[in-house]
Amino acid sequence: MNQHMRPEPIPFIDISAQRQRLGKSIDEAVARVLTHCQFINGPEVTALEKALAEYSGAKHVVTCASGTDALLMVLMAKNVGPGDAVFCPSFTFCATGESVALTGATPVFIDVDEATFNIDANSLKRGIATAKARGLKPVGVIPVDLFGQSADHDAVAAVAKAEGLFVLDDAAQGFGASYKGRKLGTFGLATATSFFPAKPLGCFGDGGAISTDDDDLANTLRSIRVHGQGSDKYDNVRLGLTGRLDTMQAAILIEKLKIFEDEIAARNVIADRYSRGLGNVVTVPQLASGSTSVWAQYTIRLPKGTDRDAFAVALKAQGVPTAIYYTKSMHQQTAYRDFPVADGGLPVSESLSEDVISLPMHAYLDEAAQDRIIQAVRGALSS
Ligand SMILES: *Cc1c(COP(=O)(O)O)cnc(C)c1O
C-alpha cells in the first residue's frame, strides 16, 4: 500500500451494500405500503409474523416495536414485578436487565462463560441462592445469545426446571442461529429478538418480535401490544404499550428475510477466515459444540498487557474501525450497580470488559477488506 495515502476506511457495518443488493424489491415493498396506506396493522405485519414463524419453527410470532419491548412485554405478560428476581448475564447490552428493572422486579446479574461469553449455569445457581438469601422470589432467567452465538440452552433449562423459573431467551443478536440443530425461537417459554438496523436481521428503523409455542402467552402479548386491549376494543383489560411494529418495517423485513440465510452463510465464511488469520495472535471467538452463530459481532480478546485504546487507534490509522462491546458490564454501570450480583462475583464479565474488541463484520465484507483487517490487527500487535 502507498505509504503516503491514508487507506480508505472500511465500514464497521455496511447497510448500503445490502440496500444495493435488494434494490428494487425494497423500493417496491415500500411502494405497496404507500399505496394501501395501512401503516398500522397492515397485511405485511401478519405476513411477516407467518414467515418468521416458518423460519424459526415457533408456533406464534408476535412482532413489536423493538427488542426491548419484546423482552418487557413477556415480563409484563408473566406479571413480573416488585419482589421478583429475574436472572440475566451482566456481560450484555443494557436492555436485557433494563427490561427487568422497568417492571419493578430485581435483575440479578450472573457471570458468563470465558470461552463463549454466554451465561454460566453454575453462576446462575449461585445467583438463585443470592436472590433467595435477600428475600427475593426467583421467577425467571434471561439467557442472551451474545454476539450471535446460541447460549447453552440445555444447561439453562436444567437449572430453570429445577427452580421453577421461566426462560426468556434474549436472541436480539442471535436470531437465525441454532442450538443442537434447532433454530433459536423455540427454547424456553419465549424468545425476544430485535430488528434494529445493526442486528443481523435489521429493518430500517426500530422493530422486534417475540416467538412462543404458548397459545395463552401469545394472546396476552397481542393484547399488551395494543394497550392491554380486551375483546371489547374500549374495555382495556390490563396495562399495555404502544408496542406495534409498523407496516413499513414489516414490508422491508419480508424482503430481507429472503436473503438472511445467505447472509448468515457469508458471515460464517468471514468469521472462519478471521479466525484462521488471527488465531495465533489474539483469542478468537469460540463456538461451543452444538451452537452456531450469526456473528452479530466478531469479538476478539487482546493478549494481557495490550493497550486496547492504542490498539484501536492503530487500526483506525489503517482505516479499520473497531467497537467495544462492552466496556462496562451491566453491574458496573451507574443505573445498575445497586442490583445484586451472584455470589462469588462476576470475574469473567469484568475481565472481558477490559480486553474485548470487535472487528468489522457484515455479509458484504470482501476478501481484500478482510485481509486488510487481519494485517492491521497483526501489525498493531507486533509493533
Ligand atoms: C439490541 C439488543 C436488545 C434491544 O433491542 P432494541 O431493538 O434496540 O430495543 C436487547 N438485548 C440485546 C442483547 C441486544 O443486543
Side-chain angles (χ1 to χ4, degrees):
M1 192 179 306
N2 186 329
Q3 295 272 314
H4 304 285
M5 267 173 32
R6 259 190 106 72
E8 171 108 357
I10 294 167
F12 190 74
I13 59 160
D14 193 345
I15 290 170
S16 66
Q18 184 202 51
R19 173 85 187 81
Q20 270 181 352
R21 169 176 176 184
L22 287 167
K24 258 176 42 194
S25 70
I26 294 272
D27 292 0
E28 287 165 4
V30 169
R32 283 193 294 274
V33 179
L34 290 173
T35 303
H36 68 50
C37 286
Q38 295 178 58
F39 299 118
I40 300 294
N41 289 341
E44 286 83 355
V45 174
T46 320
L48 174 67
E49 290 180 344
K50 191 163 168 277
L52 289 169
E54 270 163 24
Y55 178 82
S56 65
K59 189 166 174 197
H60 305 281
V61 171
V62 179
T63 53
C64 61
S66 70
T68 307
D69 277 2
L71 293 165
L72 180 61
M73 284 165 63
V74 174
L75 298 172
M76 288 170 76
K78 294 298 288 176
N79 291 310
V80 170
D84 292 339
V86 178
F87 306 91
C88 58
S90 185
F91 190 65
T92 180
F93 180 63
C94 67
T96 312
E98 182 188 36
S99 63
V100 177
L102 281 170
T103 67
T106 302
V108 178
F109 294 113
I110 304 300
D111 211 1
V112 295
D113 176 75
E114 177 116 38
T116 63
F117 310 157
N118 279 327
I119 194 166
D120 172 349
N122 288 318
S123 178
L124 174 58
K125 287 182 199 160
R126 291 195 291 274
I128 293 168
T130 309
K132 287 178 179 167
R134 290 184 173 225
L136 295 167
K137 183 178 174 222
V139 297
V141 54
I142 310 182
V144 177
D145 307 292
L146 199 74
F147 301 146
Q149 177 178 190
S150 157
D152 186 348
H153 289 287
D154 282 350
V156 171
V159 178
K161 189 159 180 244
E163 297 285 341
L165 310 180
F166 67 80
V167 178
L168 166 55
D169 184 19
D170 181 348
Q173 300 179 12
F175 185 74
S178 59
Y179 178 71
K180 299 193 175 168
R182 227 167 87 203
K183 275 240 169 4
L184 295 184
T186 56
F187 294 92
L189 172 71
T191 301
T193 194
S194 164
F195 304 126
F196 181 78
K199 309 286 180 179
L201 180 61
C203 59
F204 291 163
D206 279 307
I210 304 148
S211 50
T212 183
D213 286 346
D214 185 313
D215 300 341
D216 289 340
L217 178 65
N219 284 334
T220 306
L221 291 169
R222 290 184 193 283
S223 163
I224 288 174
R225 181 167 69 171
V226 200
H227 302 289
Q229 187 178 286
S231 49
D232 171 355
K233 193 172 170 189
Y234 297 100
D235 182 27
N236 294 301
V237 296
R238 57 172 67 80
L239 299 183
L241 304 167
T242 304
R244 293 169 299 243
L245 178 75
D246 66 70
T247 312
M248 199 78 87
Q249 299 304 338
I252 291 163
L253 282 164
I254 287 170
E255 300 309 314
K256 288 201 178 198
L257 186 59
K258 293 177 185 165
I259 59 164
F260 188 41
E261 277 301 299
D262 188 46
E263 291 184 332
I264 293 171
R267 285 170 181 267
N268 272 281
V269 170
I270 296 164
D272 280 350
R273 210 144 172 280
Y274 273 163
S275 293
R276 270 183 277 120
L278 296 172
N280 61 352
V281 289
V282 297
T283 306
V284 295
Q286 294 165 56
L287 294 184
S289 90
S291 294
T292 71
S293 180
V294 293
W295 301 103
Q297 302 296 338
Y298 185 90
T299 302
I300 58 174
R301 298 186 73 180
L302 297 176
K304 269 215 171 6
T306 309
D307 178 338
R308 182 168 60 179
D309 293 336
F311 175 84
V313 169
L315 263 62
K316 191 160 183 230
Q318 300 296 315
V320 177
T322 53
I324 299 172
Y325 304 112
Y326 299 92
T327 50
K328 283 185 175 179
S329 290
M330 280 200 75
H331 72 285
Q332 299 172 307
Q333 298 177 23
T334 309
Y336 301 99
R337 64 184 168 214
D338 295 332
F339 290 116
V341 303
D343 269 358
L346 312 180
V348 178
S349 298
E350 287 171 15
S351 74
L352 289 174
S353 292
E354 278 167 19
D355 65 19
V356 290
I357 190 162
S358 302
L359 302 179
M361 171 54 83
H362 59 80
Y364 304 93
L365 198 62
D366 63 30
E367 288 196 356
Q370 295 164 35
D371 290 340
R372 268 180 62 195
I373 293 161
I374 291 167
Q375 286 320 313
V377 170
R378 298 188 70 92
L381 289 171
S382 65
S383 58

